[in-house]
Amino acid sequence: MNNLVALLTPSIARFILLLSASFAFTATSSADELKEISQLAEQGKTAVALDLVNTFIAANPKNPQGLFMKGVLLAEESRREEAIRVFIDVTEKFPSLPEPYNNLAVLYADQGQFDKARKTLETVIKTHPSYATAHENLGDIYARMASEAYGKALQLDTTNTRAQGKLSLIKDVFGTGNNTTIAVNEPVKNASAAPAAGTAQADITKVNASAPANTKDAITASVNKWAQAWSDKNLDQYFASYDASFKPAKGLSRQVWEQQRKERITKPEKISVEVSGLKIESDDRTAKAKFKQSYRAGGQPIRTSKVLLMKRDGDNWYIVEEIASN
């Protein structure tokens, strides 16, 4: 699945980077330096924090906290391939730490690599059987894989009531991910029973098994993907959410509209876009998605009622018209 939001709870977009009091630093100055970097990340200054953590790692190449923090910051910057490489490096250099395995599994799940995610979580459970987060995430991965398998069974045999019942049960347990695009991050408490000295303790992400299994779920995933790209300031993904036939409001040309959107999206240091109350009317080819949008860029959130008119192209849904009202 390509929709990060539907897979992660809480979203990687808001890691807080809590430094545990159980850390065993070789020098007080190192602890202070990492805490300052953490505070910058909490303030939304992720790029600055990433530059500083790279400098820290250059001076302290064997420090697991610095490497772990770099992985988290890269994920927050939507540089997920780089984050994966960093977490792999941490697991190889510090195989006794459970948290890097968990975050690595979440990033694999984000890319739809569920078998890799499963194997990664099973690895950490073997060495840390009391790590509850990994057990929960593994269960969610299994549920996600089962959801895809039941969905495939229904595509091949629409009369398969057993598969339909099992798929409905999974959706009842895990929901459909309709209510939000960015979940508020909550730190995991007691992630491991007894963290060893030097453990890289930080907020741990959690996998959610929700996934599109029918038309409305696919549309929901497309809306969430659009909002997440906007929040991440991922311009390529954001503009890819719009169909080639999309006509901007106020008679603007597509070129002028895109230029205006680029300026408005890149100007704020940080953006948060949340969707709630999503209601969908659709047939096989077209859809109308109505929802409440909450946009925040530093100040108070701006709440807007929005309608996206969408059309299907293959397995994907694209925006053909965007209507906003107060």
Side-chain angles (χ1 to χ4, degrees), residues 114-115 118 138-154 162-171 174 209-213:
F114 298 109
D115 195 51
R118 175 185 62 81
L138 182 60
D140 288 350
I141 289 293
Y142 281 135
R144 178 63 179 86
M145 295 172 75
S147 177
E148 286 199 335
Y150 294 143
K152 183 64 174 179
L154 284 171
R162 294 188 306 276
Q164 180 63 62
K166 292 173 183 178
L167 181 59
S168 296
L169 178 61
I170 289 177
K171 290 179 65 177
F174 292 98
S210 59

Side-chain angles (χ1 to χ4, degrees), residues 235-246:
L235 294 175
D236 289 340
Q237 185 61 65
Y238 176 79
F239 289 123
S241 299
Y242 292 84
D243 189 73
S245 65
F246 173 74

Side-chain angles (χ1 to χ4, degrees), residues 136-199:
E136 184 178 2
N137 284 349
L138 182 60
D140 288 350
I141 289 293
Y142 281 135
R144 178 63 179 86
M145 295 172 75
S147 177
E148 286 199 335
Y150 294 143
K152 183 64 174 179
L154 284 171
Q155 288 178 4
L156 298 173
D157 179 8
T158 57
T159 65
N160 190 332
T161 56
R162 294 188 306 276
Q164 180 63 62
K166 292 173 183 178
L167 181 59
S168 296
L169 178 61
I170 289 177
K171 290 179 65 177
D172 287 342
V173 173
F174 292 98
T176 58
N178 289 10
N179 295 328
T180 182
T181 58
I182 297 182
V184 176
N185 193 30
E186 296 290 346
V188 173
K189 305 299 182 183
N190 301 319
S192 53
T199 297

Side-chain angles (χ1 to χ4, degrees), residues 4 22 50 53 83 111 116 131 133 156 160-162 166 170 178 182 187 239 245 269-270 277 310 321 326:
L4 175 66
S22 65
L50 190 54
V53 83
Q111 297 182 331
K116 277 189 175 183
Y131 187 20
T133 301
L156 298 173
N160 190 332
T161 56
R162 294 188 306 276
K166 292 173 183 178
I170 289 177
N178 289 10
I182 297 182
F239 289 123
S245 65
E269 184 175 351
K270 194 168 185 178
M310 309 179 76
E321 188 173 351
N326 294 328

Side-chain angles (χ1 to χ4, degrees), residues 98-139:
E99 291 85 1
Y101 286 95
N102 184 77
N103 283 6
L104 180 59
V106 169
L107 290 168
Y108 282 146
D110 167 38
Q111 297 182 331
Q113 299 186 66
F114 298 109
D115 195 51
K116 277 189 175 183
R118 175 185 62 81
K119 291 178 180 178
T120 302
L121 290 168
E122 288 176 344
T123 297
V124 71
I125 286 171
K126 287 180 182 178
T127 56
H128 294 78
S130 61
Y131 187 20
T133 301
H135 284 281
E136 184 178 2
N137 284 349
L138 182 60

